[in-house]
């Protein structure tokens, strides 16, 4: 009798556990539905497409496809590939310009839609031409790759602006929006890197780059469906003045020691971290005594890194073949290095990201933050160019890798140099504001009727007044 009474209770427990598991599976979809109800479904879909598909999958596929395109189609040396890869990323350096355009130059009464359409169109045209034309001249190929990168950068800045606007309108959902952006980007990169090697193997590097027209087409769709208010009575005569105000405000902020010293540290810490990944890539795939990794293996290595350097000596162990002496396969060493490198790089970058958010003066927060992120790209480009020069100096070519170990050693030692310039970082309580009070005064309530026209005027006038007072 006891067993019969206990059976329904046990069945109810099992049913409850199954329902709970089912609810856990559906919880992400419920979360997305709630965000869609609060923020509009077109915005949530735009975040998924731009961050997840265009940036996550697209940039991952672009990275692997471009590496093979430079090596196999253009027959470049590793040092040359480094220089050209840095040039391809140039549109990301001028992100503040794209940000200013989307903020103060509306087109047909819209500030976001036209720029999504423009970004997607430029990328689609560039990638289709690149994938279809045979024996393309290097200069034209480089121009098309830069245009594709520009399209991705403009789309990134535009969706950033949409996220910022919704964060201001719905402050209680700001954290969830950032979580959505980060989740989409991470999942997209993982899918992109996993599929990139397979696509390059099946349809070649040109075909893989042609596939990038699909994410770009979806960005155009975002520009068509995303909801935004229409701006009426736009005064284009003040655009020039707005650009001048923006440049003046940023220059005033950069003259402050509490701003330029951390900015200098950010640039130098990235610039001295020499990048020689093209030399390693050529050695991974072409060296007679190297691992001879396939396209699929290269893509999966990058995928592990996306889930996961300062431990650059791991590369040295690999190139000197020490790992084979102790019986550790090449693939295991490279995968471990990718995971550790990305993990430590993220840990190194997070404090700089927090510091950057504290360096943005009131009134030009978005534009100035984009400027700080541009410093990151300038530092990375410098590291790439210097790394290419190092490979050229040491005569590391498509077929000669005798001095690659020395390049790895020099790179690893250079990564210790930022320790000597830590004095540029302000040493204070992390809960205390870094900027002077006159740069942090809120402008709420000032010029609410024309926020776009007065966005930077208060900062300029306040800082000019402070400068005159200090000169006296």
């Amino acid at each position: 009798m006891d067993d019969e009474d206990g059976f329904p209770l046990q069945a109810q427990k099992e049913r409850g556990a199954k329902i709970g598991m089912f609810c856990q599976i559906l919880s992400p979809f419920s979360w997305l539905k709630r965000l869609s109800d609060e923020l509009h479904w077109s915005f949530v879909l735009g975040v998924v497409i731009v961050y997840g598909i265009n940036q996550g999958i697209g940039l991952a596929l672009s990275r692997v496809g471009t590496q093979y395109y430079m090596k196999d189609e253009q027959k470049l040396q590793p040092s040359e590939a480094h220089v050209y890869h840095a040039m391809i990323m140039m549109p990301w350096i001028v992100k503040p310009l794209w940000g200013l355009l989307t903020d103060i130059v509306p087109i047909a009464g819209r500030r976001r839609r036209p720029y999504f359409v423009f970004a997607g169109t430029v990328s689609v045209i560039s990638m289709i031409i690149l994938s279809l034309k045979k024996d393309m001249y290097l200069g034209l190929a480089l121009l098309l790759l830069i245009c594709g990168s520009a399209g991705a950068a403009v789309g990134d800045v535009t969706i950033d602006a949409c996220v910022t606007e919704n964060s201001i309108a719905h402050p209680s959902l700001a954290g969830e929006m950032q979580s959505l952006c980060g989740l989409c980007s991470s999942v997209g990169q993982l899918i992109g890197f996993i599929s990139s090697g397979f696509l390059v193997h099946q349809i070649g590097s040109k075909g893989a780059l042609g596939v990038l027209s699909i994410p770009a087409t979806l960005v155009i769709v975002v520009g068509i469906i995303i909801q935004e208010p229409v701006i009426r009575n736009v005064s284009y005569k003040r655009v020039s003045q707005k650009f001048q105000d923006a440049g003046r405000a940023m220059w005033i902020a950069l003259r402050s020691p509490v701003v330029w010293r951390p900015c200098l540290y950010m640039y130098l810490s990235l610039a001295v971290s020499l990048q020689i990944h093209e030399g390693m890539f050529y050695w991974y795939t072409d060296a007679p005594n190297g691992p001879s990794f396939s396209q699929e293996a290269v893509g999966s290595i990058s995928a592990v890194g996306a889930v996961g350097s300062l431990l650059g000596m791991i590369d040295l162990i690999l190139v000197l073949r020490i790992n084979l002496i102790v019986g550790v396969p090449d693939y295991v060493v490279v995968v471990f290095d990718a995971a550790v490198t990305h993990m430590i790089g993220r840990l190194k970058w997070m404090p700089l990201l927090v510091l950057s958010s504290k360096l943005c003066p009131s009134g030009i927060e978005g534009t100035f933050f984009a400027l700080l992120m541009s410093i990151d790209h300038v530092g990375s480009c410098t590291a790439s160019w210097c790394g290419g020069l190092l490979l050229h100096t040491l005569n590391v070519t498509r077929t000669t890798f005798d001095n690659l170990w020395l390049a790895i050693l020099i790179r690893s030692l250079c990564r210790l140099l930022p320790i000597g310039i830590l004095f540029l970082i302000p040493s204070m309580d992390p809960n205390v504001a870094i900027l002077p009070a006159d740069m942090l005064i809120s402008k709420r309530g000032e010029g609410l009727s024309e926020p776009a026209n007065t966005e930077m005027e208060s900062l300029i006038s306040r800082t000019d007044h402070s400068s005159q007072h200090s000169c006296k």
Side-chain angles (χ1 to χ4, degrees):
M1 193 68 180
D2 294 339
D3 292 342
E4 293 179 359
D5 293 340
F7 179 74
L9 181 61
Q10 182 66 24
Q12 291 178 3
K13 290 182 178 179
E14 292 179 357
R15 183 184 178 188
K18 292 180 180 179
I19 293 176
M21 183 180 299
F22 184 71
C23 292
Q24 289 292 329
I25 295 174
L26 293 180
S27 59
F29 299 98
S30 301
W31 176 56
L32 289 175
K33 184 179 184 305
R34 183 169 60 84
L35 289 179
S36 298
D37 293 339
E38 294 285 342
L39 304 171
H40 200 272
W41 64 268
S42 63
F43 167 73
V44 175
L45 182 61
V47 169
V48 173
I49 290 177
V50 178
Y51 281 122
I53 300 177
N54 191 54
Q55 286 191 32
I57 298 178
L59 291 184
L61 179 57
S62 174
R63 175 182 169 183
V64 177
T66 303
Q67 282 184 316
Y68 276 101
Y69 179 78
M70 293 294 189
K71 180 176 74 75
D72 297 335
E73 297 290 336
Q74 296 294 340
K75 308 296 182 183
L76 297 180
Q77 299 294 344
S79 57
E80 296 174 323
H82 261 292
V83 174
Y84 293 133
H85 273 295
M87 293 177 64
I88 292 171
M89 298 306 297
M90 293 294 286
W92 291 85
I93 295 178
V94 292
K95 281 185 65 175
L97 175 60
W98 312 135
L100 284 172
L101 286 173
T102 61
D103 284 339
I104 65 179
V105 187
I107 300 175
R110 307 279 186 174
R111 293 196 299 164
R112 312 302 179 202
R113 281 186 172 184
Y115 290 97
F116 279 125
V117 174
F118 170 76
T121 302
V122 169
S123 295
V124 168
I125 295 175
S126 301
M127 293 302 100
I128 290 179
I129 295 176
L130 185 65
S131 63
L132 295 179
K133 187 171 178 59
K134 296 181 179 179
D135 301 325
M136 183 175 293
Y137 176 62
L138 175 60
L140 178 58
L142 184 62
L143 177 62
L144 293 173
L145 288 170
I146 292 175
C147 288
S149 179
V154 173
D156 173 74
V157 168
T158 309
I159 196 64
D160 284 346
C162 294
V163 171
T164 301
E165 286 179 338
N166 278 289
S167 297
I168 295 173
H170 303 84
S172 61
L173 297 176
E176 296 186 59
M177 279 186 271
Q178 293 299 326
S179 298
L180 176 63
C181 297
L183 176 64
C184 292
S185 179
S186 298
V187 173
Q189 285 187 35
L190 183 60
I191 296 173
F193 281 125
I194 290 176
S195 60
S196 59
F198 173 78
L199 287 174
V200 171
H201 178 74
Q202 294 295 325
I203 60 179
S205 58
K206 292 174 62 176
L209 292 174
V211 172
L212 293 175
S213 60
I214 298 176
T217 302
L218 295 178
V219 174
I220 298 177
V221 174
V222 173
I224 296 174
I225 65 173
I226 197 165
Q227 295 293 313
E228 68 165 328
V230 179
I231 301 176
R232 305 186 185 279
N233 300 323
V234 179
S235 176
Y236 289 101
K237 296 180 179 180
R238 290 184 56 84
V239 169
S240 176
Q241 183 62 41
K242 292 176 183 177
F243 272 103
Q244 293 178 14
D245 289 345
R248 189 180 177 196
M250 287 189 289
W251 172 246
I252 290 172
L254 285 172
R255 287 192 304 178
S256 174
V258 296
V259 175
W260 70 257
R261 286 166 63 93
C263 289
L264 181 61
Y265 174 83
M266 291 173 59
Y267 169 74
L268 292 177
S269 64
L270 292 166
V272 300
S273 299
L274 303 183
Q275 298 179 10
I276 57 171
H277 52 78
E278 292 303 319
M280 294 300 302
F281 171 71
Y282 279 61
W283 184 80
Y284 287 156
T285 55
D286 286 357
N289 62 338
S292 299
F293 287 143
S294 64
Q295 291 94 334
E296 293 87 349
V298 171
S300 63
I301 290 168
S302 299
V304 172
V307 176
S309 87
L310 293 177
L311 295 182
M313 292 300 178
I314 296 179
D315 287 339
L316 188 60
I317 292 173
L318 186 68
V319 171
L320 295 179
R321 317 307 283 150
I322 297 175
N323 61 298
L324 297 182
I325 297 176
V326 297
V328 180
D330 291 328
Y331 188 78
V332 173
V333 176
V334 175
V335 166
F336 177 75
D337 177 51
V340 171
T341 298
H342 281 261
M343 179 183 67
I344 294 180
R346 179 62 61 86
L347 292 175
K348 177 184 176 182
W349 176 240
M350 283 305 294
L352 294 179
L353 194 62
V354 175
L355 178 64
S356 298
S357 66
K358 292 187 175 185
L359 294 177
C360 299
S362 178
I364 53 170
E365 297 91 345
T367 303
F368 201 82
F369 190 81
L371 175 65
L372 295 177
M373 295 302 99
S374 297
I375 294 175
D376 164 54
H377 291 293
V378 173
S380 297
C381 286
T382 303
S384 183
W385 286 329
C386 292
L389 179 61
L390 177 63
L391 293 175
H392 178 74
T393 303
L394 296 178
N395 195 33
V396 177
T397 66
R398 297 173 57 91
T399 56
T400 305
F401 302 94
D402 295 338
N403 292 327
L404 182 58
W405 69 271
L406 183 57
I408 296 171
L409 181 62
I410 294 173
R411 179 201 64 180
S412 301
L413 294 176
C414 287
R415 287 179 174 177
L416 299 176
L417 295 179
I419 298 176
I421 55 174
L422 284 174
F423 64 90
L424 294 173
I425 300 294
S427 56
M428 57 179 63
D429 188 340
N431 296 319
V432 176
I434 296 176
L435 293 177
D438 60 345
M439 291 188 182
L440 294 173
I441 298 175
S442 175
K443 304 178 306 310
R444 291 187 179 180
E446 299 179 12
L448 292 178
S449 60
E450 280 189 296
N453 295 341
T454 60
E455 184 182 39
M456 291 155 291
E457 292 175 1
S458 58
L459 173 67
I460 296 173
S461 59
R462 286 198 308 269
T463 314
D464 279 348
H465 177 75
S466 301
S467 300
Q468 293 172 4
H469 180 73
S470 60
C471 291
K472 295 178 183 178

